[in-house]
PDB file of all heavy atoms in Angstrom:
ATOM      1  N   ARG A 280       1.827  36.294  -9.402  1.00 98.00           N
ATOM      2  CA  ARG A 280       1.293  35.432 -10.475  1.00 98.00           C
ATOM      3  C   ARG A 280      -0.186  35.737 -10.737  1.00 98.00           C
ATOM      4  O   ARG A 280      -0.668  35.662 -11.866  1.00 98.00           O
ATOM      5  CB  ARG A 280       1.438  33.931 -10.078  1.00 98.00           C
ATOM      6  CG  ARG A 280       2.877  33.563  -9.764  1.00 98.00           C
ATOM      7  CD  ARG A 280       2.950  32.096  -9.378  1.00 98.00           C
ATOM      8  NE  ARG A 280       4.302  31.774  -8.934  1.00 98.00           N
ATOM      9  CZ  ARG A 280       4.775  30.563  -8.806  1.00 98.00           C
ATOM     10  NH1 ARG A 280       4.006  29.510  -9.080  1.00 98.00           N
ATOM     11  NH2 ARG A 280       5.993  30.362  -8.399  1.00 98.00           N
ATOM     12  N   PHE A 281      -0.903  35.993  -9.636  1.00 98.00           N
ATOM     13  CA  PHE A 281      -2.337  36.318  -9.786  1.00 98.00           C
ATOM     14  C   PHE A 281      -2.495  37.753 -10.292  1.00 98.00           C
ATOM     15  O   PHE A 281      -3.326  38.026 -11.163  1.00 98.00           O
ATOM     16  CB  PHE A 281      -3.054  36.125  -8.423  1.00 98.00           C
ATOM     17  CG  PHE A 281      -2.961  34.709  -7.902  1.00 98.00           C
ATOM     18  CD1 PHE A 281      -1.918  34.280  -7.107  1.00 98.00           C
ATOM     19  CD2 PHE A 281      -3.946  33.784  -8.273  1.00 98.00           C
ATOM     20  CE1 PHE A 281      -1.841  32.984  -6.657  1.00 98.00           C
ATOM     21  CE2 PHE A 281      -3.863  32.442  -7.818  1.00 98.00           C
ATOM     22  CZ  PHE A 281      -2.805  32.074  -6.991  1.00 98.00           C
ATOM     23  N   LEU A 282      -1.710  38.640  -9.709  1.00 98.00           N
ATOM     24  CA  LEU A 282      -1.831  40.058 -10.080  1.00 98.00           C
ATOM     25  C   LEU A 282      -1.536  40.276 -11.566  1.00 98.00           C
ATOM     26  O   LEU A 282      -2.133  41.133 -12.218  1.00 98.00           O
ATOM     27  CB  LEU A 282      -0.864  40.921  -9.247  1.00 98.00           C
ATOM     28  CG  LEU A 282      -1.271  41.014  -7.754  1.00 98.00           C
ATOM     29  CD1 LEU A 282      -0.118  41.588  -6.917  1.00 98.00           C
ATOM     30  CD2 LEU A 282      -2.503  41.881  -7.559  1.00 98.00           C
ATOM     31  N   ALA A 283      -0.621  39.450 -12.110  1.00 97.00           N
ATOM     32  CA  ALA A 283      -0.260  39.568 -13.522  1.00 97.00           C
ATOM     33  C   ALA A 283      -1.447  39.240 -14.445  1.00 97.00           C
ATOM     34  O   ALA A 283      -1.506  39.697 -15.565  1.00 97.00           O
ATOM     35  CB  ALA A 283       0.929  38.677 -13.838  1.00 97.00           C
ATOM     36  N   GLU A 284      -2.386  38.438 -13.952  1.00 96.00           N
ATOM     37  CA  GLU A 284      -3.466  37.991 -14.823  1.00 96.00           C
ATOM     38  C   GLU A 284      -4.795  38.648 -14.491  1.00 96.00           C
ATOM     39  O   GLU A 284      -5.720  38.648 -15.356  1.00 96.00           O
ATOM     40  CB  GLU A 284      -3.647  36.474 -14.737  1.00 96.00           C
ATOM     41  CG  GLU A 284      -2.455  35.732 -15.260  1.00 96.00           C
ATOM     42  CD  GLU A 284      -2.790  34.267 -15.551  1.00 96.00           C
ATOM     43  OE1 GLU A 284      -3.957  33.948 -15.846  1.00 96.00           O
ATOM     44  OE2 GLU A 284      -1.864  33.446 -15.420  1.00 96.00           O
ATOM     45  N   GLY A 285      -4.952  39.150 -13.271  1.00 95.00           N
ATOM     46  CA  GLY A 285      -6.245  39.665 -12.865  1.00 95.00           C
ATOM     47  C   GLY A 285      -6.387  41.168 -13.064  1.00 95.00           C
ATOM     48  O   GLY A 285      -5.482  41.829 -13.566  1.00 95.00           O
ATOM     49  N   LYS A 286      -7.574  41.652 -12.726  1.00 93.00           N
ATOM     50  CA  LYS A 286      -7.857  43.082 -12.868  1.00 93.00           C
ATOM     51  C   LYS A 286      -8.255  43.661 -11.511  1.00 93.00           C
ATOM     52  O   LYS A 286      -9.207  43.148 -10.897  1.00 93.00           O
ATOM     53  CB  LYS A 286      -8.966  43.306 -13.879  1.00 93.00           C
ATOM     54  CG  LYS A 286      -8.566  42.878 -15.275  1.00 93.00           C
ATOM     55  CD  LYS A 286      -9.737  42.844 -16.205  1.00 93.00           C
ATOM     56  CE  LYS A 286      -9.299  42.281 -17.556  1.00 93.00           C
ATOM     57  NZ  LYS A 286     -10.411  41.969 -18.466  1.00 93.00           N
ATOM     58  N   LYS A 287      -7.538  44.684 -11.062  1.00 95.00           N
ATOM     59  CA  LYS A 287      -7.844  45.250  -9.734  1.00 95.00           C
ATOM     60  C   LYS A 287      -9.140  46.038  -9.788  1.00 95.00           C
ATOM     61  O   LYS A 287      -9.394  46.762 -10.760  1.00 95.00           O
ATOM     62  CB  LYS A 287      -6.725  46.200  -9.296  1.00 95.00           C
ATOM     63  CG  LYS A 287      -5.433  45.510  -9.045  1.00 95.00           C
ATOM     64  CD  LYS A 287      -4.355  46.517  -8.682  1.00 95.00           C
ATOM     65  CE  LYS A 287      -2.977  45.827  -8.622  1.00 95.00           C
ATOM     66  NZ  LYS A 287      -1.888  46.769  -8.511  1.00 95.00           N
ATOM     67  N   LEU A 311      -9.212  41.508  -6.657  1.00 97.00           N
ATOM     68  CA  LEU A 311      -8.648  41.212  -7.981  1.00 97.00           C
ATOM     69  C   LEU A 311      -9.636  40.351  -8.747  1.00 97.00           C
ATOM     70  O   LEU A 311      -9.970  39.239  -8.329  1.00 97.00           O
ATOM     71  CB  LEU A 311      -7.323  40.418  -7.779  1.00 97.00           C
ATOM     72  CG  LEU A 311      -6.502  40.231  -9.058  1.00 97.00           C
ATOM     73  CD1 LEU A 311      -5.809  41.551  -9.430  1.00 97.00           C
ATOM     74  CD2 LEU A 311      -5.513  39.123  -8.896  1.00 97.00           C
ATOM     75  N   GLY A 312     -10.135  40.889  -9.884  1.00 94.00           N
ATOM     76  CA  GLY A 312     -11.027  40.131 -10.726  1.00 94.00           C
ATOM     77  C   GLY A 312     -10.255  39.058 -11.474  1.00 94.00           C
ATOM     78  O   GLY A 312      -9.349  39.356 -12.248  1.00 94.00           O
ATOM     79  N   LEU A 313     -10.529  37.808 -11.170  1.00 95.00           N
ATOM     80  CA  LEU A 313      -9.844  36.678 -11.807  1.00 95.00           C
ATOM     81  C   LEU A 313     -10.699  35.441 -11.604  1.00 95.00           C
ATOM     82  O   LEU A 313     -11.038  35.107 -10.454  1.00 95.00           O
ATOM     83  CB  LEU A 313      -8.456  36.470 -11.185  1.00 95.00           C
ATOM     84  CG  LEU A 313      -7.536  35.433 -11.798  1.00 95.00           C
ATOM     85  CD1 LEU A 313      -7.116  35.866 -13.222  1.00 95.00           C
ATOM     86  CD2 LEU A 313      -6.258  35.254 -10.948  1.00 95.00           C
ATOM     87  N   ILE A 321      -3.259  28.621 -11.602  1.00 98.00           N
ATOM     88  CA  ILE A 321      -2.044  29.232 -11.062  1.00 98.00           C
ATOM     89  C   ILE A 321      -1.626  28.450  -9.772  1.00 98.00           C
ATOM     90  O   ILE A 321      -0.446  28.127  -9.577  1.00 98.00           O
ATOM     91  CB  ILE A 321      -2.281  30.730 -10.749  1.00 98.00           C
ATOM     92  CG1 ILE A 321      -2.483  31.482 -12.076  1.00 98.00           C
ATOM     93  CG2 ILE A 321      -1.096  31.329  -9.992  1.00 98.00           C
ATOM     94  CD1 ILE A 321      -2.972  32.923 -11.922  1.00 98.00           C
TER      95      ILE A 321
END
Side-chain angles (χ1 to χ4, degrees):
R280 303 179 187 195
F281 299 90
L282 291 167
E284 294 197 29
K286 294 169 185 169
K287 293 177 189 171
L311 189 76
L313 185 66
I321 295 169

